[in-house]
Amino acid sequence: MCLAWFWHKFLYRIFLCFLETISHINRATRTMKKRHVLLLIFAFIAISNIYAQNASAKINSVWVTHNVSKMQNVWNGWTWVTIPVNGMEIHTNFDINECRAQKIRVCMFVYEPDGRPTESYNSQYRSPDGQLTIQEETVPNYANTNYSDFKLFMPYSEFNAFGQKSYKFCVTIMKEGINLAMSDWVYFTVYK
């Protein structure tokens, strides 16, 4: 907490220096010394990178509720329609630190029991490399925040299984593409 306060104060002082530099613009030519601008840009980049590295997360628990029905918009080939969709709801209890007012992403990645990524053909539930996933963004309101029940929903129709098939998944918490935390494996079976 003390470190976050220090960086906020430091960024505030740099911002004040920036305003002071702007106020010293030569009114006749409206130019600013390039070295001041470059120095300020470098300082902002360096400080933001240091500040971003303080982010951390801890996943306390993950659990699944099966056979949940949710209303979803589905493309039927001609138009979007709202229909009930049956699936599983993934609940995650986690703590996130030093990420106030910054986007974080909670992701669930699905794997085959042998560790191979499960493929997806639906762009809504597909990572760029083709893996079956569901991802949601959230923005914490406080520097240290606990999400006691963050929910993700995965329709059973996204699993390419016929009959009974086993899978496993993990939940990952990311900020700006950096993994902050990863859950243990959760094993489950889909019946279609």
Side-chain angles (χ1 to χ4, degrees):
M1 189 69 160
C2 183
L3 186 62
W5 175 85
F6 171 77
W7 286 119
H8 282 288
K9 283 295 214 188
F10 191 67
L11 288 173
Y12 177 72
R13 288 190 186 273
I14 289 176
F15 181 70
L16 289 179
C17 289
F18 180 71
L19 291 178
E20 185 179 328
T21 304
I22 290 174
S23 69
H24 288 97
I25 294 173
N26 184 334
R27 303 244 188 259
T29 62
R30 297 279 186 213
T31 59
M32 189 185 329
K33 293 184 177 181
K34 289 183 182 177
R35 70 174 183 241
H36 288 131
V37 174
L38 292 175
L39 180 65
L40 288 172
I41 291 171
F42 176 73
F44 275 118
I45 291 170
I47 297 302
S48 64
N49 285 339
I50 290 170
Y51 190 68
Q53 291 174 357
N54 292 331
S56 65
K58 179 183 176 215
I59 297 176
N60 302 317
S61 61
V62 176
W63 66 100
V64 179
T65 304
H66 287 282
N67 297 319
V68 175
S69 186
K70 288 204 172 201
M71 299 301 286
Q72 284 196 331
N73 291 329
V74 177
W75 179 254
N76 69 1
W78 296 279
T79 185
W80 289 96
V81 293
T82 304
I83 61 170
V85 176
N86 198 25
M88 56 192 260
E89 201 166 53
I90 296 86
H91 306 263
T92 308
N93 177 330
F94 65 93
D95 298 313
I96 189 85
N97 302 310
E98 305 302 333
C99 289
R100 180 178 182 264
Q102 300 173 42
K103 285 184 185 176
I104 62 162
R105 183 178 293 269
V106 181
C107 316
M108 177 195 108
F109 293 100
V110 182
Y111 293 85
E112 303 293 328
D114 63 3
R116 289 178 297 119
T118 301
E119 291 184 14
S120 174
Y121 302 103
N122 182 347
S123 62
Q124 187 177 359
Y125 298 97
R126 180 184 170 142
S127 68
D129 63 352
Q131 184 176 2
L132 182 58
T133 183
I134 183 69
Q135 303 181 12
E136 296 284 335
E137 286 186 343
T138 186
V139 178
N141 293 327
Y142 305 98
N144 301 318
T145 304
N146 173 264
Y147 287 87
S148 60
D149 190 8
F150 191 91
K151 297 175 185 171
L152 298 169
F153 180 76
M154 176 64 75
Y156 288 137
S157 60
E158 295 305 314
F159 295 97
N160 299 321
F162 297 100
Q164 173 182 334
K165 186 160 182 195
S166 296
Y167 295 95
K168 65 182 179 180
F169 72 84
C170 65
V171 174
T172 304
I173 306 207
M174 303 174 80
K175 178 180 176 233
E176 298 171 358
I178 298 170
N179 289 348
L180 299 178
M182 188 172 120
S183 72
D184 292 332
W185 292 111
V186 176
Y187 295 85
F188 65 100
T189 302
V190 173
Y191 303 92
K192 283 175 102 177

